[in-house]
Every structure is written in C-alpha cells, then in structure tokens.
Amino acid sequence: MFKLSPKEDKFFELFSQNTEIITKSLKRLYGIMLQDSVSTEDAAQMHRIENEADNVTTQILERLNCTFITPMDREDIYKLAQVLDDIVDFAEGTVERMLLYRTGKPSLGAQELVHLVELAAEQIQTAFSYLGNLHSKKTNILAAAEEIYHLESAGDKLYREEVARLFDFEKDPIEIIKWKEILEHIEATLDHCESIADLLKSVVLKYD
C-alpha cells in the first residue's frame, strides 16, 4: 500500500491542479465555439490559462528534480506531467487558428466535437483525482480511461461526418481549408486524451 509523506503527496496535489486547469480550458473553448466569432480577448484569456498550466507543470518537474523518494517512478511522473501540459496547448492552438483565419460561428458538428473533448477532460480530471489512492481506486481510474476511449471513438465518427458535410455543403474552398485544419486539430486533441488514458492504464497495471 502507498503511504505518502506530505512531501510526496504534493505531486498528486499538483496533478489535481493541472487537470482542473485543463477542464477549465476546455470549458472555455466550448464557450468560444458557441460564439459568432473569436476575439483577441478570447485568445488572450486562453493564453493566460495555458500559462497557468505551464506554471504547474514547471512545479511538478522542479519538485521531481529535488525529491529523493517519489510516490511512483520518476519516469511515470515525468510522462504524466508532459502529456497533461499538451492538452491546454491544443486548446489554445484551436482558438489561435480560429482568430487568425477569421472564422465565423462554428457548425454544430464542430461544437459537438469540442464538447466531446470537454467531457474527456473531465474524465481525465476524475482519473487523476484517484492517483493518490492507486490501489483502492484502480477500478475508478480504469473506468474513467474506458469512458475516454468511448468519447474518442465517438469523436472519430463525428470528425469524419463533419469533414464530409464540409465538402458537401461549403462552396468556398478557402473556408473548407480553414475548417478542415481546425477540425483536424480538435480531433488530434481528442486523440491526445486517448493517449493519456493509455498512459493511465499502464501506470495502474504497473503498480497493481
């Protein structure tokens, strides 16, 4: 059984902070997707959230460098910190593209795709909240990972349908290029959530 000292437990507190920021970033992205357009303030706000996530990731890595005994392998802590940091980068990248390309209001399909990523982020937050009790909460972590897989599968289907709709109904080739890239970026975000689920499963099985 894990018996964590307060110093060791700090890693899990920081992971919890990071996943809260991730969920916040995806909720904000979903809100932006419901708007008629993206403003410079929307992009600036997302950048501030990304800086928050970077700050927490830096704290994790600095603590990792100065902690002799860690609650799990250093490599696992490092990998978990890195993959979490990437999600907010993806969210910020979506907003940046929409601002730079001067897109109008996203389609319902694009909105729903982001909503699936938001739901996956919530499952990531749930799974990481159990990491400090890895043995007793193994089932909960694995259940969250499975839900992420379901969301990613639904996202793949929705992405293909939305790209097909884009080619069927959008007459402006420039708009097709813009939105196809944005949709690909959103779908890549969901794929990254699946990679996090894979990593969580490997960590759970490793310490089982």
Side-chain angles (χ1 to χ4, degrees):
M1 294 291 290
F2 280 156
K3 291 187 178 180
L4 302 174
S5 71
K7 187 174 183 180
E8 291 171 339
D9 194 47
K10 186 65 176 177
F11 284 108
F12 299 112
E13 291 178 20
L14 290 169
F15 277 139
S16 179
Q17 288 178 33
N18 221 347
T19 56
E20 286 176 13
I21 295 169
I22 287 167
T23 300
K24 179 170 70 172
S25 74
L26 267 301
K27 287 183 181 299
R28 184 67 198 104
L29 177 59
Y30 183 60
I32 291 171
M33 296 295 287
L34 300 178
Q35 299 172 181
D36 290 334
S37 61
V38 177
S39 69
T40 53
E41 176 52 34
D42 291 327
Q45 184 182 24
M46 190 63 74
H47 185 65
R48 289 192 292 271
I49 296 173
E50 194 271 337
N51 283 339
E52 287 181 49
D54 280 348
N55 180 55
V56 177
T57 300
T58 299
Q59 291 182 59
I60 294 171
L61 298 181
E62 287 177 346
R63 181 168 292 274
L64 189 60
N65 287 333
C66 65
T67 302
F68 182 67
I69 299 175
T70 55
M72 58 178 68
D73 288 350
R74 291 174 182 276
E75 180 183 4
D76 294 328
I77 294 174
Y78 180 82
K79 286 180 179 178
L80 290 168
Q82 291 294 333
V83 294
L84 287 179
D85 189 60
D86 289 339
I87 297 185
V88 184
D89 291 339
F90 273 112
E92 183 186 21
T94 299
V95 175
E96 284 179 347
R97 284 165 173 78
M98 292 173 67
L99 180 65
L100 289 171
Y101 300 163
R102 296 181 175 86
T103 59
K105 187 170 184 176
S107 66
L108 291 177
Q111 292 170 3
E112 180 58 25
L113 191 58
V114 169
H115 183 52
L116 291 177
V117 184
E118 179 188 359
L119 294 175
E122 290 175 357
Q123 290 298 320
I124 289 169
Q125 183 176 358
T126 297
F128 272 80
S129 72
Y130 295 127
L131 271 185
N133 300 290
L134 192 58
H135 292 295
S136 62
K137 296 297 183 179
K138 169 188 172 182
T139 302
N140 304 76
I141 297 171
L142 294 177
E146 286 302 318
E147 182 58 26
I148 293 169
Y149 293 144
H150 292 317
L151 292 166
E152 194 278 333
S153 179
D156 275 349
K157 181 174 183 293
L158 181 59
Y159 164 74
R160 292 191 295 269
E161 292 173 348
E162 189 59 18
V163 170
R165 187 207 63 79
L166 191 63
F167 281 106
D168 283 343
F169 297 104
E170 180 56 61
K171 304 305 179 185
D172 186 343
I174 301 300
E175 287 299 309
I176 292 174
I177 293 170
K178 289 179 182 179
W179 279 108
K180 186 172 185 296
E181 181 179 337
I182 291 168
L183 288 167
E184 286 174 349
H185 193 74
I186 298 169
E187 202 266 340
T189 311
L190 200 47
D191 286 344
H192 188 70
C193 292
E194 182 183 39
S195 297
I196 292 175
D198 288 340
L199 184 55
L200 282 168
K201 284 185 71 173
S202 70
V203 168
V204 167
L205 296 174
K206 182 177 182 178
Y207 298 98
D208 187 17

